[in-house]
Amino acid sequence: MQYIRVNTLKINPKILKKRLEEKNVILEETFLHYAFKVIKSPFSIGCTPEYLFGYYIPQSTSSMIPPIVLNPEKNSFVLDMCAAPGGKTTHLAQLMENSGTIVAVDISKSRIKALKSNINRMGILNTIIINKDMRIFKDYLLKNNILFDKILLDAPCTGNIVKDKNRNVSKEDIKYCSLRQKELLNIGIDLLKEGGILVYSTCSAEEEENEEVIRYILNKRDDVELLPIENNFKKINVIGGGIEGTLRVIPPNEPFFIAKLRKIKS
Ligand SMILES: C[S@@+](CC[C@H](N)C(=O)[O-])C[C@H]1O[C@@H](n2cnc3c(N)ncnc32)[C@H](O)[C@@H]1O
């Protein structure tokens, strides 16, 4: 299954749909008026002039949910802690109508290149790209009292390992990811303003990387609460997660886990 998200900063979804249909691409509506399922295409959907103009990005519909749940306001100050290659950063910028500021951080030099390219191609003007380890960069932010209204933590997970390296996931991999996720989530909460919102997501189906991480943070800290996410997503397999108020996207859609947290005191 292949999907595209239309970059509404550059083109109206109906106009793009018509343009691609004139080239014999068959598209179907999804739960989002600016995303389409690609039923059939005579060419690779990642190498059309429209793609190069930044009119759309190929992306799973599951991965469109975390930015929608975060729902950044125009002119807000947003941190994307694990941003590359930028599917969600560019979506956040689109939702913010290119206003406010997004600080997009990623540890990987090679993936940062893809993030830069997506940001340039899609005409994103409100994003600062930082190639750093969040576990180190947080010290600079905290020292300078730089706190955020909204944070997306789309955490590294075993789902990415499978996609990137095409290998089996071991128990050690899951344990390693779970520890890293807890560490990053703690940092994320530290960097929120009082009343600020953090959305945690992974594309792993493992309990240890999802519900366990959320239970850990709720038990460990008294400055954060879980906010229930309303499941009003249609035409996509979204169910309640293992903790009430969290969501899981299940196959045949790409598996995803999404939780929403609010910092209640600083
Ligand atoms: C799930 S991917 C992010 C996908 C991205 N949000 C998107 O929608 O295109 C996780 C990312 O976390 C990055 N990462 C892992 N550990 C990190 C750390 N300590 N600090 C910053 N980025 C990190 C990885 O390089 C990887 O790009």
Side-chain angles (χ1 to χ4, degrees):
M1 270 192 282
Q2 203 173 19
Y3 297 88
I4 57 170
R5 173 172 55 80
V6 182
N7 180 14
T8 51
L9 294 173
K10 282 203 167 179
I11 195 164
N12 177 297
K14 284 186 183 145
I15 294 175
L16 178 73
K17 185 169 185 273
K18 194 161 171 275
R19 236 172 115 147
L20 291 175
E21 282 171 349
E22 278 165 7
K23 297 181 177 186
N24 298 319
V25 179
I26 302 175
L27 298 171
E28 192 179 275
E29 310 280 324
T30 68
F31 72 95
L32 267 182
H33 74 276
Y34 55 85
F36 300 105
K37 184 174 179 178
V38 182
I39 304 291
K40 210 170 149 195
S41 173
F43 37 75
S44 163
I45 207 71
C47 52
T48 62
E50 287 78 7
Y51 170 80
L52 294 173
F53 293 152
Y55 290 169
Y56 66 86
I57 184 166
Q59 194 185 13
S60 78
T61 38
S62 310
S63 68
M64 297 175 203
I65 295 181
I68 292 171
V69 171
L70 189 63
N71 189 24
E73 287 82 17
K74 276 178 91 174
N75 291 313
S76 53
F77 189 40
V78 176
L79 173 66
D80 190 348
M81 294 177 69
C82 294
K88 298 183 192 67
T89 313
T90 53
H91 193 179
L92 290 169
Q94 177 173 336
L95 294 170
M96 292 160 77
E97 295 173 31
N98 244 341
S99 71
T101 305
I102 302 174
V103 178
V105 183
D106 204 282
I107 194 173
S108 159
K109 206 171 185 173
S110 58
R111 290 172 69 96
I112 278 277
K113 277 191 193 153
L115 173 67
K116 264 190 203 162
S117 140
N118 278 323
I119 280 180
N120 288 334
R121 190 177 57 81
M122 298 183 80
I124 308 300
L125 301 172
N126 67 346
T127 299
I128 300 166
I129 300 171
I130 312 264
N131 183 198
K132 289 240 183 279
D133 182 337
M134 263 315 303
R135 294 170 300 168
I136 296 166
F137 185 52
K138 69 140 190 337
D139 294 334
Y140 169 84
L141 295 169
L142 289 171
K143 201 171 89 190
N144 292 287
N145 201 25
I146 300 172
L147 301 178
F148 296 85
D149 301 312
K150 298 225 163 156
I151 298 182
L152 178 64
L153 172 52
D154 185 38
C157 68
T158 56
N160 307 123
I161 293 174
V162 175
K163 271 187 278 181
D164 291 353
K165 297 190 181 138
N166 198 22
R167 65 178 169 95
N168 288 332
V169 169
S170 66
K171 280 199 170 124
E172 286 69 39
D173 291 330
I174 296 171
K175 204 169 168 190
Y176 174 83
C177 281
S178 180
L179 282 171
R180 179 61 52 85
Q181 289 151 352
K182 288 170 186 164
E183 195 180 0
L184 289 170
L185 185 52
N186 255 313
I187 293 169
I189 304 293
D190 288 343
L191 291 170
L192 272 180
K193 290 179 188 169
E194 188 175 329
I197 304 286
L198 182 147
V199 166
Y200 174 82
S201 61
T202 78
C203 63
S204 159
E206 303 295 337
E207 155 104 25
E208 290 94 318
E209 299 183 59
N210 297 317
E211 284 86 352
E212 187 185 303
V213 176
I214 299 303
R215 275 191 204 104
Y216 156 84
I217 207 81
L218 293 174
N219 286 334
K220 181 182 155 81
R221 302 184 64 138
D222 64 356
D223 58 351
V224 65
E225 67 178 2
L226 184 73
L227 291 182
I229 310 168
E230 208 182 319
N231 183 1
N232 48 16
F233 298 96
K234 309 265 186 304
K235 298 185 195 164
I236 175 165
N237 293 315
V238 181
I239 59 168
I243 302 174
E244 209 182 324
T246 63
L247 294 183
R248 270 181 180 265
V249 188
I250 55 168
N253 294 102
E254 183 191 16
F256 245 86
F257 172 84
I258 305 126
K260 188 176 181 181
L261 298 161
R262 176 164 53 199
K263 188 157 180 181
I264 45 183
K265 56 185 173 190
S266 47

